[in-house]
Amino acid sequence: MTMRRMLAVVMVCMAVGTVKAEVSPDDVLRAIDQMTPEQVMALSHKLESRFWEPIPTGFFTRMAIDVAVGGSQVHATGVDRMALSGGTMDVDDPAGVDIGILWRFNDPRQKMGIRFGSLTARDSNLGDAGYSRADLVGSHVVVPWHMQWLRSASFSLWTEASVGVGYVQIDTVDTPAGSGSTVRTLDREFVQGDLQAGASWYLNPAVNVFLAGGYRFADSVQLEEGGRKTVLKYDGSGPFGRIGLGVNF
């Protein structure tokens, strides 16, 4: 609780004690100790709007933001089918970051919003036959539905389902020994859906850390090069894991 909120509680206690002698400040504090986290947040907003400035309890106070890092495993990138001088490049396990912005609706346990994410992986090798490098960069935008199934003041267990679109770009450099380099850029967009389950631990009513894991379902698409489809296929389906920090307004 911030100093401003603590001061507000003290002022309320003093006012209650003055108007009604039989209700002491200790009685009010004991009542606050029995409140749920949601009731404490509501009381805090009420006090701030009473003694300082009006704070809306609608759009922004229902918002939550989370930032996570993690890794995933991609079913197929198409790079393994390319004849590269340095051998097969391994970019099947990209890592990345995602940011989610969600809003609470009628049920405090349910949230919906939008989530942005990115993935990246790189591999290279220099051998007797030459040098090769592969870079994979991906991104996605999905609409999640977040549901808390078990919730307490200190932790929650939840699931999240989302659907949206993804994009991948793969750049390769191949330099056979004694020859010039060949540079290729392949890309494609696709539809994807994510299912995940996780647990959140609350440091306080506003901040939590979480751990989650799930599976991504994605279209298997033919990669394009210069606007033309190739025989190389990308399939972003596979398991993933996330660890992050959440802030509830």
Side-chain angles (χ1 to χ4, degrees):
M1 184 178 292
T2 65
M3 184 61 69
R4 238 176 26 167
R5 291 176 182 172
M6 292 177 64
L7 179 60
V9 172
V10 172
M11 293 175 67
V12 170
C13 292
M14 293 175 62
V16 171
T18 301
V19 175
K20 197 172 184 179
E22 63 271 18
V23 180
S24 69
D26 289 336
D27 293 331
V28 176
L29 292 176
R30 279 193 293 270
I32 293 175
D33 289 336
Q34 297 176 4
M35 290 181 178
T36 66
E38 292 78 10
Q39 290 173 328
V40 172
M41 289 296 291
L43 174 62
S44 172
H45 294 145
K46 193 74 172 179
L47 292 174
E48 289 188 355
S49 64
R50 172 69 175 173
F51 290 99
W52 284 283
E53 72 281 354
I55 296 179
T57 58
F59 189 79
F60 288 105
T61 54
R62 294 174 177 267
M63 184 172 65
I65 297 177
D66 62 70
V67 180
V69 296
S72 63
Q73 189 175 68
V74 177
H75 182 67
T77 64
V79 178
D80 55 339
R81 297 188 59 188
M82 302 175 71
L84 300 174
S85 303
T88 302
M89 298 292 99
D90 183 10
V91 289
D92 295 342
D93 302 307
V97 62
D98 67 74
I99 299 175
I101 305 174
L102 299 92
W103 285 268
R104 187 179 75 243
F105 289 93
N106 294 331
D107 189 338
R109 299 181 303 163
Q110 297 186 44
K111 298 176 183 177
M112 291 188 69
I114 188 167
R115 189 176 298 283
F116 308 89
S118 65
L119 294 173
T120 182
R122 167 179 283 194
D123 192 19
S124 62
N125 188 45
L126 176 62
D128 295 337
Y131 169 79
S132 297
R133 188 184 77 233
D135 294 279
L136 182 150
V137 178
S139 61
H140 60 265
V141 179
V142 296
V143 176
W145 175 65
H146 183 101
M147 179 66 183
Q148 295 178 342
W149 297 101
L150 179 60
R151 179 177 176 177
S152 72
S154 58
F155 77 97
S156 67
L157 299 178
W158 49 268
T159 58
E160 184 175 299
S162 59
V163 63
V165 294
Y167 171 81
V168 65
Q169 177 176 310
I170 299 175
D171 298 314
T172 62
V173 177
D174 186 42
T175 309
S179 302
S181 298
T182 300
V183 180
R184 300 184 67 181
T185 297
L186 305 102
D187 63 353
R188 189 67 191 273
E189 67 282 346
F190 52 90
V191 176
Q192 73 172 55
D194 298 343
L195 290 176
Q196 61 180 305
S200 299
W201 292 267
Y202 293 92
L203 306 180
N204 56 52
V207 180
N208 68 86
V209 293
F210 63 88
L211 182 66
Y215 194 89
R216 174 164 295 141
F217 301 88
D219 280 342
S220 178
V221 294
Q222 289 180 272
L223 292 170
E224 296 182 349
E225 185 174 22
R228 295 184 178 181
K229 292 183 179 180
T230 68
V231 296
L232 305 175
K233 289 188 176 182
Y234 178 84
D235 186 348
S237 302
F240 64 89
R242 304 167 59 232
I243 182 170
L245 178 70
V247 179
N248 303 297
F249 296 96

